Amino acid sequence: MDNNTATSIFGSLSSGIRLDVYRLLVKTGPAGLVAGEIAAALGLPSTNLSFHLKAMTHAQLLGVTQEGRFQRYRANMPLMLDLITYLTEECCSGHPEQCFDQASAFDCCESELSNPLTQTETKP
Amino acid sequence: MDNNTATSIFGSLSSGIRLDVYRLLVKTGPAGLVAGEIAAALGLPSTNLSFHLKAMTHAQLLGVTQEGRFQRYRANMPLMLDLITYLTEECCSGHPEQCFDQASAFDCCESELSNPLTQTETKP
DNA sequence: TCAATACTTCAATAATTGTTGTATTATTGA
DNA sequence: TCAATAATACAACAATTATTGAAGTATTGA
Protein backbone atom coordinates (compact mmCIF):
# COMPACT_ATOMS: atom_id res chain seq x y z
CA MET A 1 0.00 0.00 0.00
CA ASP A 2 1.36 3.41 -0.98
CA ASN A 3 0.08 6.97 -0.67
CA ASN A 4 -1.43 7.00 -4.17
CA THR A 5 -3.29 3.75 -3.76
CA ALA A 6 -4.65 4.85 -0.41
CA THR A 7 -5.80 8.27 -1.62
CA SER A 8 -7.59 6.71 -4.58
CA ILE A 9 -9.42 4.35 -2.22
CA PHE A 10 -10.41 7.24 0.02
CA GLY A 11 -11.43 9.27 -3.02
CA SER A 12 -13.59 6.35 -4.04
CA LEU A 13 -15.46 6.50 -0.77
CA SER A 14 -15.72 10.28 -0.58
CA SER A 15 -19.01 10.45 -2.45
CA GLY A 16 -22.30 9.54 -0.80
CA ILE A 17 -23.32 7.46 -3.79
CA ARG A 18 -20.11 5.45 -3.88
CA LEU A 19 -20.17 4.90 -0.14
CA ASP A 20 -23.73 3.57 -0.43
CA VAL A 21 -22.61 1.26 -3.22
CA TYR A 22 -19.67 -0.01 -1.22
CA ARG A 23 -21.70 -0.65 1.93
CA LEU A 24 -24.37 -2.41 -0.10
CA LEU A 25 -21.72 -4.71 -1.59
CA VAL A 26 -20.09 -5.32 1.79
CA LYS A 27 -23.51 -6.39 2.99
CA THR A 28 -24.09 -8.81 0.10
CA GLY A 29 -20.59 -10.24 0.49
CA PRO A 30 -19.19 -12.79 -1.94
CA ALA A 31 -22.53 -12.99 -3.79
CA GLY A 32 -22.19 -9.41 -4.97
CA LEU A 33 -24.75 -7.70 -7.17
CA VAL A 34 -25.07 -6.95 -10.88
CA ALA A 35 -25.08 -3.30 -11.95
CA GLY A 36 -28.84 -3.20 -12.54
CA GLU A 37 -29.54 -4.49 -9.03
CA ILE A 38 -27.34 -1.79 -7.55
CA ALA A 39 -29.07 0.87 -9.65
CA ALA A 40 -32.47 -0.39 -8.53
CA ALA A 41 -31.47 -0.63 -4.87
CA LEU A 42 -30.14 2.92 -4.80
CA GLY A 43 -32.49 4.52 -7.34
CA LEU A 44 -29.77 5.80 -9.65
CA PRO A 45 -29.70 6.40 -13.42
CA SER A 46 -27.60 3.68 -14.99
CA THR A 47 -25.24 6.11 -16.68
CA ASN A 48 -24.37 7.82 -13.45
CA LEU A 49 -23.97 4.54 -11.55
CA SER A 50 -21.69 3.29 -14.29
CA PHE A 51 -19.48 6.34 -13.81
CA HIS A 52 -19.15 5.61 -10.10
CA LEU A 53 -18.67 1.86 -10.53
CA LYS A 54 -15.86 2.53 -12.96
CA ALA A 55 -14.13 4.82 -10.46
CA MET A 56 -14.43 2.28 -7.66
CA THR A 57 -13.27 -0.58 -9.85
CA HIS A 58 -10.31 1.46 -11.03
CA ALA A 59 -9.36 2.05 -7.39
CA GLN A 60 -9.65 -1.74 -6.91
CA LEU A 61 -12.23 -1.22 -4.21
CA LEU A 62 -14.61 -3.36 -6.29
CA GLY A 63 -13.99 -6.40 -8.38
CA VAL A 64 -16.13 -7.17 -11.40
CA THR A 65 -16.87 -10.32 -13.39
CA GLN A 66 -18.94 -10.69 -16.51
CA GLU A 67 -21.98 -12.99 -16.52
CA GLY A 68 -23.50 -12.95 -19.95
CA ARG A 69 -24.73 -9.41 -20.43
CA PHE A 70 -24.53 -8.69 -16.72
CA GLN A 71 -21.60 -7.26 -14.79
CA ARG A 72 -21.36 -8.57 -11.24
CA TYR A 73 -19.63 -6.35 -8.70
CA ARG A 74 -18.15 -7.39 -5.35
CA ALA A 75 -16.44 -5.44 -2.57
CA ASN A 76 -12.71 -6.07 -2.25
CA MET A 77 -12.50 -6.73 1.48
CA PRO A 78 -8.80 -7.64 1.66
CA LEU A 79 -7.94 -4.23 0.22
CA MET A 80 -9.80 -2.57 3.08
CA LEU A 81 -7.75 -4.56 5.58
CA ASP A 82 -4.57 -3.46 3.82
CA LEU A 83 -5.74 0.11 4.03
CA ILE A 84 -6.40 -0.08 7.76
CA THR A 85 -2.97 -1.58 8.27
CA TYR A 86 -1.43 1.25 6.25
CA LEU A 87 -3.23 3.88 8.32
CA THR A 88 -2.12 2.48 11.61
CA GLU A 89 1.45 1.54 10.74
CA GLU A 90 3.80 3.08 13.27
CA CYS A 91 0.79 4.12 15.34
CA CYS A 92 2.16 6.19 18.24
CA SER A 93 5.66 5.31 17.05
CA GLY A 94 5.04 1.67 17.91
CA HIS A 95 2.97 2.20 21.05
CA PRO A 96 -0.61 2.09 19.76
CA GLU A 97 -2.07 1.74 23.24
CA GLN A 98 -1.29 5.45 23.72
CA CYS A 99 -3.55 6.42 20.86
CA PHE A 100 -6.56 5.30 22.81
CA ASP A 101 -5.69 6.50 26.28
CA GLN A 102 -7.34 9.76 25.29
CA ALA A 103 -10.59 8.05 24.41
CA SER A 104 -13.19 7.04 26.95
CA ALA A 105 -15.41 4.52 25.23
CA PHE A 106 -12.75 2.37 23.59
CA ASP A 107 -10.97 -0.54 25.18
CA CYS A 108 -9.45 -1.97 22.03
CA CYS A 109 -5.97 -2.22 23.43
CA GLU A 110 -7.11 -4.16 26.47
CA SER A 111 -9.20 -6.58 24.43
CA GLU A 112 -8.36 -8.65 21.39
CA LEU A 113 -12.03 -8.93 20.49
CA SER A 114 -12.95 -5.38 19.61
CA ASN A 115 -12.34 -5.34 15.88
CA PRO A 116 -15.58 -5.71 13.93
CA LEU A 117 -13.57 -7.23 11.10
CA THR A 118 -12.50 -10.13 13.25
CA GLN A 119 -15.82 -10.96 14.83
CA THR A 120 -18.66 -13.06 13.57
CA GLU A 121 -21.01 -11.83 16.31
CA THR A 122 -21.10 -8.24 17.53
CA LYS A 123 -24.42 -8.38 19.38
CA PRO A 124 -24.16 -10.93 22.18
CA MET B 1 -21.86 7.58 12.16
CA ASP B 2 -23.93 8.53 9.12
CA ASN B 3 -23.25 8.69 5.39
CA ASN B 4 -22.38 12.41 5.47
CA THR B 5 -19.91 12.09 8.32
CA ALA B 6 -18.25 9.11 6.69
CA THR B 7 -17.94 10.74 3.26
CA SER B 8 -16.41 13.86 4.79
CA ILE B 9 -13.83 11.71 6.58
CA PHE B 10 -13.02 9.88 3.35
CA GLY B 11 -12.89 13.19 1.50
CA SER B 12 -10.43 14.37 4.12
CA LEU B 13 -8.12 11.49 3.35
CA SER B 14 -8.50 11.61 -0.43
CA SER B 15 -5.62 14.04 -0.92
CA GLY B 16 -2.02 12.94 -0.73
CA ILE B 17 -1.13 15.91 1.45
CA ARG B 18 -3.90 15.29 3.96
CA LEU B 19 -3.14 11.60 4.10
CA ASP B 20 0.50 12.42 4.86
CA VAL B 21 -0.63 14.80 7.60
CA TYR B 22 -2.93 12.22 9.12
CA ARG B 23 -0.36 9.44 9.10
CA LEU B 24 2.22 11.78 10.59
CA LEU B 25 -0.18 12.60 13.42
CA VAL B 26 -1.12 8.96 13.96
CA LYS B 27 2.58 8.32 14.35
CA THR B 28 3.09 11.07 16.91
CA GLY B 29 0.01 9.96 18.84
CA PRO B 30 -1.30 11.94 21.81
CA ALA B 31 1.68 14.32 21.66
CA GLY B 32 0.54 15.66 18.29
CA LEU B 33 2.38 18.40 16.43
CA VAL B 34 1.96 22.14 16.01
CA ALA B 35 1.19 23.47 12.54
CA GLY B 36 4.71 24.70 11.91
CA GLU B 37 6.18 21.29 12.71
CA ILE B 38 3.81 19.65 10.25
CA ALA B 39 4.69 22.21 7.58
CA ALA B 40 8.40 21.60 8.17
CA ALA B 41 8.05 17.82 8.19
CA LEU B 42 6.15 17.77 4.90
CA GLY B 43 7.73 20.80 3.22
CA LEU B 44 4.49 22.69 2.64
CA PRO B 45 3.73 26.42 2.46
CA SER B 46 1.89 27.41 5.62
CA THR B 47 -1.08 28.84 3.76
CA ASN B 48 -1.72 25.62 1.90
CA LEU B 49 -1.23 23.47 4.97
CA SER B 50 -3.66 25.66 6.86
CA PHE B 51 -6.28 25.02 4.17
CA HIS B 52 -5.87 21.26 4.57
CA LEU B 53 -5.72 21.32 8.38
CA LYS B 54 -8.96 23.25 8.43
CA ALA B 55 -10.65 20.68 6.18
CA MET B 56 -9.46 17.80 8.35
CA THR B 57 -10.44 19.52 11.56
CA HIS B 58 -13.87 20.32 10.16
CA ALA B 59 -14.31 16.62 9.38
CA GLN B 60 -13.30 15.92 13.00
CA LEU B 61 -10.44 13.76 11.80
CA LEU B 62 -8.09 16.06 13.72
CA GLY B 63 -8.49 17.80 17.03
CA VAL B 64 -6.77 21.10 17.69
CA THR B 65 -5.82 22.95 20.87
CA GLN B 66 -4.28 26.37 21.21
CA GLU B 67 -0.93 26.72 23.00
CA GLY B 68 -0.03 30.37 23.06
CA ARG B 69 0.50 31.30 19.45
CA PHE B 70 0.80 27.67 18.40
CA GLN B 71 -1.97 25.37 17.25
CA ARG B 72 -1.41 21.75 18.23
CA TYR B 73 -3.08 19.11 16.08
CA ARG B 74 -3.81 15.51 17.01
CA ALA B 75 -5.34 12.59 15.11
CA ASN B 76 -8.80 11.57 16.29
CA MET B 77 -8.29 7.83 16.60
CA PRO B 78 -11.69 6.93 18.08
CA LEU B 79 -13.36 8.44 14.99
CA MET B 80 -11.37 6.08 12.79
CA LEU B 81 -12.61 3.13 14.83
CA ASP B 82 -16.19 4.37 14.45
CA LEU B 83 -15.64 4.62 10.71
CA ILE B 84 -14.36 1.07 10.43
CA THR B 85 -17.34 -0.15 12.41
CA TYR B 86 -19.67 1.76 10.09
CA LEU B 87 -18.05 0.24 6.99
CA THR B 88 -18.36 -3.30 8.24
CA GLU B 89 -21.78 -3.13 9.81
CA GLU B 90 -23.93 -5.93 8.44
CA CYS B 91 -20.85 -7.35 6.72
CA CYS B 92 -22.09 -10.30 4.63
CA SER B 93 -25.51 -9.81 6.19
CA GLY B 94 -24.13 -10.81 9.58
CA HIS B 95 -21.70 -13.48 8.42
CA PRO B 96 -18.43 -11.59 8.04
CA GLU B 97 -16.37 -14.77 7.80
CA GLN B 98 -17.73 -15.14 4.27
CA CYS B 99 -16.18 -11.85 3.20
CA PHE B 100 -12.75 -13.33 3.55
CA ASP B 101 -13.29 -16.80 2.16
CA GLN B 102 -12.49 -15.30 -1.25
CA ALA B 103 -9.14 -13.99 -0.10
CA SER B 104 -6.03 -16.12 0.01
CA ALA B 105 -3.60 -14.29 2.24
CA PHE B 106 -5.95 -13.28 5.05
CA ASP B 107 -6.78 -15.35 8.07
CA CYS B 108 -8.48 -12.64 10.09
CA CYS B 109 -11.55 -14.69 10.85
CA GLU B 110 -9.51 -17.57 12.23
CA SER B 111 -7.39 -15.34 14.45
CA GLU B 112 -8.32 -12.67 16.95
CA LEU B 113 -4.86 -11.15 16.68
CA SER B 114 -4.87 -9.78 13.16
CA ASN B 115 -6.15 -6.27 13.71
CA PRO B 116 -3.33 -3.74 13.85
CA LEU B 117 -5.55 -1.52 15.99
CA THR B 118 -5.67 -4.11 18.73
CA GLN B 119 -2.03 -5.02 18.87
CA THR B 120 0.87 -3.42 20.64
CA GLU B 121 3.40 -5.54 18.79
CA THR B 122 3.08 -6.48 15.14
CA LYS B 123 6.62 -7.72 14.58
CA PRO B 124 7.23 -10.67 16.87
C1' DT C 1 5.41 49.10 23.51
C1' DC C 2 6.75 47.05 19.33
C1' DA C 3 8.97 44.06 16.10
C1' DA C 4 8.98 39.20 15.23
C1' DT C 5 6.64 34.91 15.05
C1' DA C 6 2.72 31.56 14.20
C1' DC C 7 -0.97 30.87 11.95
C1' DT C 8 -5.29 31.93 9.39
C1' DT C 9 -8.36 34.36 6.08
C1' DC C 10 -9.39 36.10 1.74
C1' DA C 11 -9.57 36.61 -3.26
C1' DA C 12 -8.15 35.08 -7.68
C1' DT C 13 -7.30 31.42 -10.50
C1' DA C 14 -6.40 26.59 -11.84
C1' DA C 15 -7.62 21.93 -11.76
C1' DT C 16 -10.53 18.17 -10.80
C1' DT C 17 -14.86 15.81 -10.24
C1' DG C 18 -19.98 15.01 -10.88
C1' DT C 19 -24.27 14.79 -13.64
C1' DT C 20 -27.12 14.35 -17.59
C1' DG C 21 -28.63 12.93 -22.15
C1' DT C 22 -27.39 10.66 -26.33
C1' DA C 23 -25.05 7.14 -28.74
C1' DT C 24 -22.76 2.70 -28.83
C1' DT C 25 -21.43 -2.20 -27.80
C1' DA C 26 -22.61 -6.73 -26.50
C1' DT C 27 -25.77 -10.46 -25.22
C1' DT C 28 -30.07 -12.81 -25.10
C1' DG C 29 -34.28 -15.05 -26.44
C1' DA C 30 -38.17 -15.18 -29.70
C1' DT D 1 -32.01 -12.66 -37.76
C1' DC D 2 -33.71 -9.06 -34.98
C1' DA D 3 -35.94 -6.56 -31.28
C1' DA D 4 -35.16 -6.08 -26.38
C1' DT D 5 -32.14 -5.71 -22.57
C1' DA D 6 -27.73 -4.56 -19.82
C1' DA D 7 -24.33 -1.79 -19.43
C1' DT D 8 -20.68 1.43 -20.86
C1' DA D 9 -18.56 5.55 -23.58
C1' DC D 10 -18.71 10.13 -24.92
C1' DA D 11 -19.57 15.15 -24.82
C1' DA D 12 -21.25 19.19 -22.66
C1' DC D 13 -21.88 21.55 -18.80
C1' DA D 14 -22.14 22.35 -13.64
C1' DA D 15 -20.10 22.12 -9.32
C1' DT D 16 -16.48 21.40 -6.19
C1' DT D 17 -11.76 21.42 -4.64
C1' DA D 18 -6.75 22.93 -4.68
C1' DT D 19 -3.04 26.35 -4.85
C1' DT D 20 -0.93 30.75 -4.43
C1' DG D 21 0.26 35.31 -2.71
C1' DA D 22 -1.17 39.21 -0.05
C1' DA D 23 -3.28 40.82 4.01
C1' DG D 24 -4.92 40.17 8.72
C1' DT D 25 -5.12 38.51 13.81
C1' DA D 26 -3.07 37.10 17.96
C1' DT D 27 0.84 36.06 20.95
C1' DT D 28 5.46 36.48 22.54
C1' DG D 29 9.69 38.28 24.22
C1' DA D 30 13.08 42.04 24.01
Side-chain angles (χ1 to χ4, degrees), chain A residues 15-85:
Chain A
S15 118
I17 289 176
R18 290 191 296 262
L19 182 55
D20 285 342
V21 169
Y22 182 75
R23 294 198 349 122
L24 181 60
L25 290 175
V26 166
K27 186 172 177 181
T28 60
L33 290 174
V34 301
E37 292 171 328
I38 300 170
L42 302 179
L44 292 169
S46 67
T47 180
N48 190 16
L49 177 63
S50 189
F51 168 83
H52 291 297
L53 289 174
K54 185 182 176 183
M56 298 173 79
T57 306
H58 184 75
Q60 304 196 66
L61 200 56
L62 303 185
V64 59
T65 54
Q66 185 158 6
E67 294 181 4
R69 57 183 148 174
F70 301 88
Q71 299 289 120
R72 182 167 299 271
Y73 288 89
R74 295 179 176 86
N76 182 351
M77 298 301 293
L79 187 70
M80 185 54 64
L81 293 178
D82 281 350
L83 182 66
I84 294 167
T85 300

Side-chain angles (χ1 to χ4, degrees), chain B residues 3-117:
Chain B
N3 185 298
N4 279 349
T5 305
T7 55
S8 76
I9 296 169
F10 287 123
S12 277
L13 294 171
S14 68
S15 117
I17 289 176
R18 290 192 298 263
L19 182 55
D20 285 342
V21 170
Y22 183 75
R23 292 196 352 121
L24 182 61
L25 290 174
V26 166
K27 186 173 177 181
T28 59
L33 290 173
V34 301
E37 292 171 327
I38 300 170
L42 302 179
L44 292 170
S46 66
T47 180
N48 190 17
L49 177 63
S50 189
F51 169 83
H52 290 296
L53 289 174
K54 186 182 177 184
M56 297 174 80
T57 305
H58 184 75
Q60 304 197 64
L61 200 55
L62 303 185
V64 60
T65 54
Q66 185 159 5
E67 294 181 5
R69 58 183 148 174
F70 301 87
Q71 300 289 120
R72 182 167 299 272
Y73 289 89
R74 295 179 178 86
N76 181 351
M77 298 302 292
L79 188 70
M80 185 54 64
L81 293 179
D82 281 351
L83 182 65
I84 293 167
T85 300
Y86 177 72
L87 279 181
T88 55
E89 267 169 10
E90 303 189 76
C91 180
C92 294
S93 303
H95 299 283
E97 71 283 0
Q98 293 178 10
C99 289
F100 304 100
D101 284 351
Q102 327 167 62
S104 52
F106 291 85
D107 61 351
C108 76
C109 293
E110 276 69 72
S111 165
E112 289 148 7
L113 292 169
S114 62
N115 178 9
L117 291 173

